[in-house]
Amino acid sequence: MEPGATSDERGDTATLAQLRRGALPHCVLAVLEHEERYAFEIVDALSELPGLTTTTGTIYPLLSRLRRDGLVDTTWRESTSGPPRRYYRLTPIGERTLVAFRQDWRTFRDAVDLLLEGGRS
Amino acid sequence: MTTSVHDLLRDYLARFDRAAAALPPERWRELRTDVEAHLDEIGASVATEAEVRQALDRLGPPEAIVAEEAADLPSSAPRPTGSRALDVTAIVLLLIGAIVIPLVGWVVGAVLLWASRTWTTREKLLGTFVLPGGIVVPLLLALLPARTLVLHPAAGMVLFVLLVAAPLVVAGVLLRRGERRR
């Protein structure tokens, strides 16, 4: 914890950066939950939401890591509208990880919300 | 694709290659495939230079992508997880083990050295070959009558000092590096 934390040049405090690092992999898993998507789509989908990530290129190393850890699988497919695309889908381990995180996140989020709201009344 | 759009994308890829020079080749190749595919998508989906710049801004600087990948690399320095006592024992035995129990003492020290997770291979080689036998070698040489080694006594003294100092210095270096890594 840093009292009076200053933001770096992207407007991130160290705390926020840490929170993102923890949550972002699971957000990627969630994006893939119901259908496979190609990389550009994933990166684009996440960049639509404010507060999630500042620059989208940093998602590529994350995707590499998810592949290495066996949470996602990829396939290259030819595309009629342009260059071949790398499609991502969840592996069974990825699915289990997402389900577990969903539960953990809800518990954590509810507890933090309760305390943050309680402090204001 | 107009020339300037093509140029922007190609410049971005070149910047990426420069920034990624420090990455291990396999990671660089993997990441480059993804970045190149992303740049191709941009090229296929937008037409004007302004749109390309916009898309590249959202992608972010190649340096940021490389930095993120670098953060995922395992740290290169070995992290000791073993017993500190064993490490210290290894060094002590390497130095004087051959005096306590001829040959075997030093060998045990060498085995402990190589089994330890504290030091890099290069450091272990240093500990093994400077000197084999530790300070036993110079001590034995000193016990020999000066005539058996055709050496001027002064040169002999210098040699003796060097042969004693070298393993001591190496031992000190290994111990200090081991401490710093804990």
Side-chain angles (χ1 to χ4, degrees), chain B residues 128-151:
Chain B
T128 311
F129 292 106
V130 184
L131 292 165
I135 61 179
V136 165
V137 174
L139 284 183
L140 282 181
L141 290 177
L143 290 175
L144 292 173
R147 259 164 283 137
T148 50
L149 305 169
V150 188
L151 263 185

Side-chain angles (χ1 to χ4, degrees), chain A residues 10-58:
Chain A
R10 295 180 315 177
D12 276 5
T13 62
T15 307
L16 188 55
Q18 256 187 338
L19 288 172
R20 283 191 182 142
R21 274 199 91 78
L24 208 50
H26 304 93
C27 294
V28 170
L29 296 181
V31 162
L32 296 172
E33 187 172 23
H34 298 297
E35 56 180 326
E36 61 173 22
R37 301 243 177 125
Y38 63 97
F40 195 78
E41 265 191 302
I42 301 173
V43 168
D44 232 39
L46 290 172
S47 72
E48 292 295 309
L49 296 167
L52 200 51
T53 168
T54 44
T55 57
T56 59
T58 56

Side-chain angles (χ1 to χ4, degrees), chain A residues 28-107:
Chain A
V28 170
L29 296 181
V31 162
L32 296 172
E33 187 172 23
H34 298 297
E35 56 180 326
E36 61 173 22
R37 301 243 177 125
Y38 63 97
F40 195 78
E41 265 191 302
I42 301 173
V43 168
D44 232 39
L46 290 172
S47 72
E48 292 295 309
L49 296 167
L52 200 51
T53 168
T54 44
T55 57
T56 59
T58 56
I59 297 191
Y60 284 110
L62 170 56
L63 288 174
S64 296
R65 181 154 45 103
L66 292 174
R67 278 200 310 274
R68 272 197 307 276
D69 291 345
L71 296 173
V72 299
D73 261 339
T74 74
T75 331
W76 285 96
R77 300 237 170 90
E78 288 298 329
S79 145
T80 47
S81 50
R85 291 170 169 165
R86 184 173 214 166
Y87 281 84
Y88 285 77
R89 65 179 173 283
L90 291 184
T91 62
I93 304 177
E95 281 170 17
R96 283 200 294 276
T97 308
L98 177 58
V99 166
F101 181 77
R102 191 169 267 138
Q103 187 53 51
D104 289 342
W105 171 258
R106 286 181 177 151
T107 313

